[in-house]
Amino acid sequence: GYATEVCTAILDYAREELSLPFVNCLIEEGNLVSEHVAGRLGFAYEETLLVDGKRMKKYRYRLF
């Protein structure tokens, strides 16, 4: 849906305009819908972090 479209545009911009090597995203543990979107886009799980008292899953997408 819309989330996938928006994230795809962000990834394209990061690659084409910013020349970033990768993009990270943090998803609160238990947010299965966002995890599914990240997986569909090609993000890979890296680790779980504690951020402001919340368990967050860190995902990375390699652009190059």
Side-chain angles (χ1 to χ4, degrees), residues 2-62:
Y2 291 118
T4 302
E5 280 187 53
V6 170
C7 290
T8 299
I10 291 169
L11 293 172
D12 290 343
Y13 181 80
R15 179 186 308 106
E16 295 166 12
E17 300 298 325
L18 302 177
S19 299
L20 296 176
F22 59 85
V23 172
N24 292 326
C25 73
L26 294 175
I27 300 172
E28 189 170 359
E29 192 171 66
N31 187 339
L32 300 180
V33 173
S34 292
E35 288 184 51
H36 181 71
V37 171
R40 192 171 346 137
L41 289 167
F43 280 82
Y45 171 79
E46 289 209 330
E47 63 183 320
T48 299
L49 307 167
L50 193 59
V51 179
D52 293 332
K54 295 181 181 180
R55 292 178 56 84
M56 305 294 284
K57 290 186 173 184
K58 178 181 170 186
Y59 290 82
R60 178 170 285 189
Y61 182 88
R62 298 202 182 275

